[in-house]
Amino acid sequence: MHFVYLLTSILVCILCPTFAQEPCDCFIKGVVLDKDSRQPIPGAAVFIKELQKGTVSDADGHYRIDQLCQGQYTLISRILGYREIAQSVTLVHTSEQNVLLTEDDIHLKDVDVTAQRTAALSSQMVSQLEGKSLDQTRGQSLGDALRNITGVTTLQTGSSIAKPVIHGMHSNRVLILNNGIRQEGQQWGSEHAPEIDPFVANRISVIKGAAGVRFGSDAIGGVILVEPAPLPTTKTVHGELNLVGFTNGRQGVASLQTEGGFGKGFGWRVQGTIKRGGNIRTPGYFLDNTGISEQNFSGSLGYRATRFRSELYYSRFKSRIGIFSGSHIGSLTDLQAVLENGEPFIKSGFSYVIGRPYQQISHDLLKWKTDWKPASGGDLSLTLARQFDDRMEYDLHRPKNDSLAALNRPELRFRLTTYTGDLVFEHKPVASKLTGSLGISGFYQYNIMNGRPLIPNFRTYNAGIFWIEKLKQNRWEYEAGLRYDYRHMQVFRYENKVLQKPLYVFQNFSGTVGATYTVSEQWSMRFNAGTSWRAPNVSELFSDGVHHGAAAYELGDSNLRPEVAYNLNLSTNYSGKRVQAEIGFFYNTIQDYIYLKPQAEPILTIRGAFPSFKYTQTDALYAGLDVGIEASLFAKLSGTSKLSLLYVQDTKLNQPIVMTPPNRWENGLRYDFGKVGKWRDAYAGIGNLWVARQNRVPANSDFLPPPPAYSLWNLTAGFALPVSKNHQVDVGLTVNNLFNTVYRDYLNRFRYYADDPGRTISVRLKWKF
């Protein structure tokens, strides 16, 4: 904790000068609005003509210009697509000057201007990957990319499958919205990674903490927003080509995106990605059958007018992922030998061949969204979508029946179809201070299971309604919301050859209150408290058998009750010229918490010997601290430090809970060279990630004790190389696990069998045209 005290002291020292009295302490503030709809306009430039000093309106249209002297000024407001406006302002001490802009169609014919607004409450902790930070993750899976955000790590199944973990929570406690649509896949398993191509995203946002009021039940741990850029409408065709290569696995990734417009408000975009990799290597050996093959595609077509917008979007994600063959073991004796020796029985050289066991997954998403702005003000949006998720899992051994073996049928096949609909109305500002939204949402889904019955078929209906209001008063912004959800699930399963149809009905309220206080233009503080809930999913209720992707035997409990969570979040942000800092504290209690508990002994089946797990229910406490600091140390040298502390406790049994992330601390230095010969924006950096040993585990609660702490070093470098007058190629180099350190991560489900990957060198090329 001494480190936390040190960081707090540094932050206080930095912030103290902001309270010093300046010779000129007047300011102008207000909100920039569309004159007709009274909707806020983000991204508008607002400045003082005489001083050439100004700012840009935020996501809610608010602006503020500080440190002005008394006098007469001209306030200029402009944004492409609207007519520029000039207002005379007499400043004695403070002035509140709202700006009403009128749309200018002439500008829209030449320049396309769009803005993105995250659908999170302002009092919630939100972190984002965009721009160069997002570029440095290109080629990685969604889970791996998000590890760059403080408080986010991954739950891994081997080297190829990773799903995001926010403040220790994952899977069905973390919602993922893909282009505004709630991702519905077979996400209950640890090895069921999100079926999303990160190349579709222009920005990835992580909302930390419960967000069930806006996004529905299940958002106990947080929400991940995968957000493409708005569609262009200009006739110019432009695009982006990304090429990425990784030495470990000899993996190559190529992604191409092109977009443009037809004029008169019509725009389009097409994008595609291919990925191919082979066996991953640890510092001592290759992991057999850990290759990956992926082919993805997406396309959008949209129309935008003054009061009407409509967009049609389609994406297809298709992958084939090899499951480490050393995780499928034939006998209890062999399994025990692997656990004791620490090395797999099966070792091989490099190969691109993906054999049994493996997963083959395809996910299709079709979305239609329409927005309409009535003349009376406000914004009404309707979003409809259909998803189809087809997951096939193949065992290590082919069926003994020759005819079935020839067909190469999967041992498990899940086919999940989901229809979703959302209708949201955002009312116009009341007295320029009160804004809010009212919405209804629902989905219908059904699952068809083939092969051995790991889970039964089911059919689910869900309906929800929410209401959120925000009030802006001086330096304070208050918000509150309430939501009700109803879920109806019909299950179809055979018991002793008799069809049973158990029915489950779950319903509950979610609520949130929050406040944001703006201390100064650089410093803000946030508070958010809320309650959310999550119904048990069909896997937790009825799993009974070997889950081949996870190489584990899993057993459900049909008597599980819904989880109910109570969340408290406090955070502060400071953004100065030389220092940017964020400190966030969270305290969450979950009643009837559901988790997969390791059993005392592995289990032997006709498929082999596997670790055994059972879904269990208790009460849990999740509390922790996130600290992130970025500082300019010298003219071209900057440093970063990220600290994540997590405390998880079973409050019923007064003991820790298994499979929760250990504490971690990440530090880095970066030097910006600027222009070096023909290179532009050249930089180089070094970083270190230290992950503690997870000492907080119940005694004799797992098949192996937690692995030791580990420290990994990495290098980064990059530059931009001009290839023509208006074009350049951005080049990036990254070396992960620089010293080829041998380690095992506690959240890797395959840590029982093998080490984690060794040194990986990656090269990224990006060309915008």
Side-chain angles (χ1 to χ4, degrees), residues 447-476:
N447 181 80
I448 297 176
M449 174 80 184
N450 296 108
R452 288 178 290 100
L454 176 65
I455 62 170
N457 295 335
F458 66 91
R459 184 170 56 210
T460 301
Y461 303 89
N462 192 98
I465 181 170
F466 72 88
W467 183 22
I468 299 173
E469 290 293 331
K470 301 180 181 181
L471 177 64
K472 183 84 172 182
Q473 286 189 329
N474 301 321
R475 295 177 181 267
W476 285 92

Side-chain angles (χ1 to χ4, degrees), residues 341-477:
N341 297 334
E343 290 194 4
F345 281 156
I346 302 175
K347 295 182 180 179
S348 67
F350 178 81
S351 174
Y352 282 107
V353 175
I354 301 176
R356 285 173 170 263
Y358 69 92
Q359 299 177 357
Q360 188 155 311
I361 308 148
S362 64
H363 184 92
D364 293 86
L365 167 63
L366 179 63
K367 164 199 166 182
W368 176 56
K369 181 179 181 181
T370 296
D371 289 271
W372 177 56
K373 296 182 178 180
S376 58
D379 191 326
L380 182 66
S381 66
L382 173 65
T383 306
L384 302 174
R386 177 190 183 273
Q387 298 176 67
F388 177 65
D389 193 83
D390 188 1
R391 170 180 292 272
M392 293 177 281
E393 299 190 3
Y394 294 80
D395 190 4
L396 177 64
H397 307 289
R398 286 179 177 268
K400 295 182 179 180
N401 185 300
D402 292 337
S403 61
L404 294 178
L407 294 174
N408 194 30
R409 290 180 178 176
E411 278 62 46
L412 296 174
R413 186 175 188 181
F414 313 87
R415 287 178 289 179
L416 183 69
T417 304
T418 307
Y419 297 89
T420 59
D422 295 272
L423 182 64
V424 180
F425 177 71
E426 298 182 11
H427 68 72
K428 65 181 181 181
V430 178
S432 301
K433 293 182 179 181
L434 184 66
T435 60
S437 59
L438 176 68
I440 58 175
S441 62
F443 72 80
Y444 164 67
Q445 67 179 192
Y446 59 91
N447 181 80
I448 297 176
M449 174 80 184
N450 296 108
R452 288 178 290 100
L454 176 65
I455 62 170
N457 295 335
F458 66 91
R459 184 170 56 210
T460 301
Y461 303 89
N462 192 98
I465 181 170
F466 72 88
W467 183 22
I468 299 173
E469 290 293 331
K470 301 180 181 181
L471 177 64
K472 183 84 172 182
Q473 286 189 329
N474 301 321
R475 295 177 181 267
W476 285 92
E477 182 173 352

Side-chain angles (χ1 to χ4, degrees), residues 110 112 232-240 256-263 266-270 726-727 767-769:
D110 300 322
D112 179 58
T233 54
T234 58
K235 292 185 178 181
T236 304
V237 176
H238 50 92
E240 179 178 305
L256 176 65
Q257 175 180 287
T258 58
E259 60 184 17
F262 303 109
F266 287 95
W268 59 270
R269 177 184 297 128
V270 293
N726 299 318
H727 297 89
W767 175 45
K768 280 193 169 185
F769 56 89

Side-chain angles (χ1 to χ4, degrees), residues 221-292:
V223 178
I224 297 169
L225 307 176
V226 181
E227 305 170 286
L231 286 176
T233 54
T234 58
K235 292 185 178 181
T236 304
V237 176
H238 50 92
E240 179 178 305
L241 174 65
N242 285 274
L243 300 175
V244 187
F246 299 88
T247 57
N248 202 339
R250 304 177 194 176
Q251 184 180 118
V253 185
S255 182
L256 176 65
Q257 175 180 287
T258 58
E259 60 184 17
F262 303 109
K264 298 184 179 180
F266 287 95
W268 59 270
R269 177 184 297 128
V270 293
Q271 178 268 341
T273 301
I274 56 174
K275 178 188 292 188
R276 189 72 173 94
N279 290 347
I280 298 296
R281 183 177 176 84
T282 71
Y285 46 84
F286 282 97
L287 300 175
D288 182 59
N289 196 51
T290 52
I292 183 171

